[in-house]
Amino acid sequence: MKIVIVGGVAGGATTAARLRRLDENAEIILFERGNHISFANCGLPYYIGDVIKEKEELLLQTPKSFKKRFNIEVRVKQEVIKLKREDKKVEVQNKENGEIYEETYDKLVLAPGAEPMNPFPKSTKIKTLRNVEDAVEIKKYINENRPKEITIIGGGYIGVELAENLSKEKDLRLKILERNDHLIAPLDQDMANFVHTKLNKNGIEIILKNGVQEVKEIDSKMEILLQNGNKIESDLILLCMGVIPETNLAIRAGIKTNEKGSIIVNEWMQTNDENVYALGDAVQVNHIVTESPSYIPLAGPANRQARVVANHICNRKTSYLGSLGSSILKIFDCNLGITGINESICIRDHIPYKVMIISPYSHATYYPGATQMTIKALYDPKTGKILGAQVWGKESVDKITDILATAIRMKMTAYDLEELELCYAPPFSSVKSPVNILGNSIENEIEGLVENITWKEVMKLEDPYILDVRTNREYENSHLEKAVLIPLDELRTRLEELPKERIIYIHCHTGLRSYIACRILSQNGFQVKNIIGGYYFYKKAIEPGN
Ligand code: FAD
């Protein structure tokens, strides 16, 4: 069997290695048009920020090491320029000498990835980041030209990672331009405010709700014209506007794609030609939660799909059932984890949902170093099935997000979360893990013990009666203008101060005391709603900048 692979990074190299482990006799040829195979794209922003010092540390395999370990023929600087499916051949151009030749295959694997969007005219002062060469070029440009102002267009993962990494440069003004109303699209706007505040506090300016209309090079500067008519000058522009699947080669050969150019594959990653497989950033995937076609260009899915491709070629039928979009991002001293779907997807796809927000500690508070995190989870109001989660904090964000990603993948409900037995000792977690607490909080609402409401909903109400059940000292420190204060521990003796004819919206600092207050008041005949997230979430996410 002869297998030809197009693209030698996450998807392509992983497929090649698995193929060899399954079939010692197969002939495997890997084409990569760049200089390197199997490099760590995900490490590139950290190389630019000098966290990773040497570019060699990004090269996980070389053609030589791949040959030695896996007996795979790697041809770098060779671009596949045509697929001749009817003859089972590919046409290849050697980038060094321009020579064009053909190679036959029994099975063809397409792992060409996705390219950064760049709708602007070419300029040495506009750069994108996809591979090691790009990273080296950006770093060199900055070192040689010492720009005073860098503008990052696009506030997704890569844009934010780059901003953090560049923020260490002395005397550099950094801006992120984003046309949406918040950075990191898979987040909800409220959770994104944690990110905005953190970036602002670290000197990074964020301009939201303002797309870029035009970019011009004027003298030694770049001029960026925004949709609102404002102009920004910059010494260097880093484009992080997202990626588009690099599938022209496949499209020209009649491989089926969706309207956005992502290759359509079945559960074994086969295209409409059973001898041609595709994977990674080039393909459309099924979204595990929405069960609809989606585009999730991440390294984890590409690697897992590679195993499925190799398995199927070697007659082992494992399936790729879909992606969740689980991702994590370090932002200065905080971390952000995301999995499943957010509110805008629920609204777009008419998926019924409710929100739960809790802010538990990373571990037992009596053990030194515990830090607070915020978990926003979406769930099915009837069944309690977990649909998505966004986690922000300093510690354990990866752990909590991963548990919730597992829960979503296994279609678990809040009731299942309550039952999870997770490891505990004071330095690591609390007796009730944040995941158990999340399950409890959702169950309380589904079982009718409390009715929850979000700040967003409260703020739409005309003249709501808001009860603050924090302590006098907390209230004096800062409070909502309209809120009436009755500390929780005085509530039972001050019931007569509260109106029976009105709905009382109750908040505390993070939501636990307000839940207790709701239980006391509802059992005394009051109409109450618990404002989830509490004053902490209000200050951090609803009215940020504090
Ligand atoms: P790629 O890794 O892009 O590889 C495709 C290769 O195919 C390219 O090297 C290209 O040169 C080659 N190629 C294309 N066409 C041809 C052709 N015709 N002939 C020969 N060769 C060809 N994901 C995460 O999950 N976490 C992260 O933290 C993360 N950080 C990232 C940071 C950066 C800066 C970037 C750019 C990406 C990051 N990603 C991250 C995304 C992740 O790297 C991709 O999802 C993953 O690499 C996709 O793998 P792939 O094999 O589909 O494509």
Side-chain angles (χ1 to χ4, degrees):
M1 167 117 68
K2 180 171 173 184
I3 303 135
V4 163
I5 302 173
V6 183
V9 192
T14 312
T15 305
R18 172 77 179 165
L19 277 169
R20 174 57 74 227
R21 287 193 288 269
L22 294 179
D23 186 348
E24 194 52 25
N25 299 313
E27 185 183 354
I28 307 168
I29 305 177
L30 183 75
F31 288 107
E32 169 55 55
R33 78 172 163 219
N35 299 335
H36 306 288
I37 57 154
S38 201
F39 60 84
N41 335 41
C42 311
L44 299 175
Y46 299 95
Y47 170 72
I48 291 172
D50 253 352
V51 179
I52 298 167
K53 303 271 182 228
E54 302 298 332
K55 83 167 191 211
E56 285 66 31
E57 291 175 59
L58 298 165
L59 307 175
L60 309 175
Q61 288 281 356
T62 62
K64 211 170 150 194
S65 69
F66 223 46
K67 176 77 184 166
K68 206 166 167 196
R69 170 77 46 95
F70 295 109
N71 187 25
I72 285 163
E73 191 178 331
V74 176
R75 299 194 197 157
V76 287
K77 300 180 200 165
Q78 317 240 353
E79 181 169 6
V80 174
I81 53 173
K82 197 170 187 182
L83 309 183
K84 297 178 164 175
R85 289 197 291 127
E86 58 293 352
D87 306 326
K88 289 181 127 187
K89 280 182 187 161
V90 294
E91 203 171 277
V92 185
Q93 181 168 41
N94 183 327
K95 307 282 279 179
E96 284 185 312
N97 57 19
E99 185 195 315
I100 292 176
Y101 63 96
E102 288 184 339
E103 197 63 65
T104 59
Y105 64 80
D106 297 312
K107 301 286 177 192
L108 176 66
V109 179
L110 301 177
E115 59 188 335
M117 278 183 215
N118 182 357
F120 304 118
K122 265 197 164 214
S123 161
T124 51
K125 296 189 186 71
I126 301 182
K127 304 210 181 286
T128 55
L129 178 62
R130 179 179 183 183
N131 53 35
V132 179
E133 288 75 23
D134 296 338
V136 169
E137 195 183 308
I138 292 172
K139 200 164 169 166
K140 187 163 166 258
Y141 187 93
I142 292 173
N143 286 339
E144 286 175 0
N145 297 281
R146 293 273 142 221
K148 291 262 170 287
E149 203 139 10
I150 297 183
T151 303
I152 296 168
I153 303 184
Y157 295 97
I158 298 175
V160 170
E161 279 182 346
L162 271 175
E164 177 183 344
N165 276 288
L166 289 171
S167 67
K168 296 166 221 154
E169 294 282 327
K170 263 196 184 157
D171 304 323
L172 173 66
R173 283 188 300 281
L174 268 173
K175 277 192 191 71
I176 304 181
L177 302 184
E178 170 56 57
R179 69 172 170 197
N180 292 330
D181 63 358
H182 66 274
L183 302 184
I184 313 284
L187 275 180
D188 288 321
Q189 215 267 334
D190 46 10
M191 289 299 286
N193 281 333
F194 285 97
V195 177
H196 301 164
T197 306
K198 181 60 67 181
L199 293 174
N200 285 155
K201 282 191 172 161
N202 282 280
I204 298 161
E205 189 186 341
I206 303 167
I207 300 180
L208 298 170
K209 291 192 255 180
N210 218 333
V212 174
Q213 237 180 45
E214 202 184 349
V215 169
K216 274 194 241 162
E217 192 163 349
I218 296 181
D219 302 326
S220 60
K221 294 249 178 201
M222 296 306 294
E223 186 185 84
I224 304 165
L225 175 64
L226 300 178
Q227 261 158 3
N228 68 356
N230 287 352
K231 285 179 184 164
I232 291 175
E233 277 197 347
S234 193
D235 299 315
L236 177 66
I237 294 176
L238 299 176
L239 285 187
C240 302
M241 299 171 69
V243 294
I244 27 177
E246 217 184 316
T247 49
N248 279 337
L249 181 71
I251 293 170
R252 285 201 305 271
I255 297 293
K256 262 199 189 155
T257 60
N258 65 17
E259 70 287 352
K260 290 187 174 153
S262 313
I263 298 174
I264 296 170
V265 289
N266 63 17
E267 62 182 298
W268 302 304
M269 310 307 295
Q270 279 171 306
T271 65
N272 53 313
D273 178 337
E274 61 172 5
N275 293 312
V276 180
Y277 294 76
L279 73 158
D281 288 3
V283 301
Q284 166 183 293
V285 292
N286 171 50
H287 195 292
I288 291 284
V289 180
T290 62
E291 294 179 353
S292 55
S294 194
Y295 183 58
I296 300 182
L298 287 171
N303 273 270
R304 289 181 292 114
Q305 290 159 8
R307 192 173 168 93
V308 172
V309 170
N311 283 355
H312 197 259
I313 291 175
C314 297
N315 296 317
R316 289 171 181 262
K317 287 196 175 156
T318 49
S319 305
Y320 190 78
L321 297 180
S323 302
L324 266 182
S326 303
S327 51
I328 189 151
L329 187 60
K330 172 180 130 35
I331 305 174
F332 294 96
D333 60 345
C334 281
N335 301 308
L336 169 70
I338 304 174
T339 183
I341 56 175
N342 61 14
E343 287 197 66
S344 37
I345 294 180
C346 288
I347 293 163
R348 184 197 70 192
D349 291 0
H350 309 289
I351 297 170
Y353 75 98
K354 275 216 83 164
V355 174
M356 179 50 66
I357 297 164
I358 58 169
S359 295
Y361 277 85
S362 53
H363 62 253
T365 47
Y366 59 81
Y367 186 90
T371 55
Q372 202 160 16
M373 70 176 88
T374 294
I375 307 174
K376 173 174 181 176
L378 308 189
Y379 63 94
D380 181 309
K382 280 208 182 109
T383 63
K385 190 170 105 176
I386 309 300
L387 305 171
Q390 300 160 40
V391 185
W392 172 262
K394 289 192 169 151
E395 279 168 71
S396 300
V397 169
D398 52 346
K399 175 171 75 176
I400 301 303
T401 312
D402 279 345
I403 297 170
L404 294 174
T406 310
I408 296 171
R409 178 69 183 78
M410 301 315 290
K411 306 201 184 305
M412 285 162 75
T413 66
Y415 298 89
D416 297 315
L417 297 189
E418 294 186 282
E419 285 184 20
L420 288 182
E421 185 178 317
L422 302 166
C423 35
Y424 162 68
F428 300 100
S429 186
S430 300
V431 193
K432 264 190 191 176
S433 147
V435 175
N436 298 138
I437 297 171
L438 180 67
N440 293 157
S441 310
I442 297 173
E443 191 240 66
N444 285 340
E445 166 142 35
I446 297 177
E447 294 298 327
L449 289 179
V450 65
E451 205 177 317
N452 294 316
I453 187 163
T454 62
W455 278 112
K456 256 197 296 185
E457 290 164 326
V458 172
M459 288 170 81
K460 283 186 201 144
L461 301 170
E462 205 180 304
D463 194 28
Y465 188 98
I466 297 177
L467 174 65
D468 183 341
V469 292
R470 296 176 302 157
T471 60
N472 287 312
R473 195 195 284 171
E474 286 173 288
Y475 185 85
E476 277 157 22
N477 259 343
S478 160
H479 62 264
L480 287 176
E481 210 182 300
K482 281 186 176 171
V484 172
L485 172 75
I486 302 183
L488 176 64
D489 294 340
E490 297 172 21
L491 197 56
R492 285 188 184 87
T493 56
R494 295 176 58 183
L495 294 177
E496 73 288 350
E497 294 175 34
L498 293 164
K500 278 238 156 109
E501 71 291 353
R502 294 192 68 179
I503 297 176
I504 303 170
Y505 298 91
I506 309 179
H507 81 80
C508 60
H509 184 55
T510 59
L512 176 60
R513 282 172 291 172
S514 58
Y515 165 62
I516 299 169
C518 281
R519 292 300 303 145
I520 295 171
L521 293 183
S522 63
Q523 291 178 77
N524 278 283
F526 290 91
Q527 309 168 62
V528 289
K529 289 196 186 188
N530 180 32
I531 309 177
I532 52 167
Y535 197 65
Y536 177 79
F537 194 75
Y538 178 83
K539 278 298 202 192
K540 299 268 179 193
I542 304 296
E543 200 190 57
N546 298 284

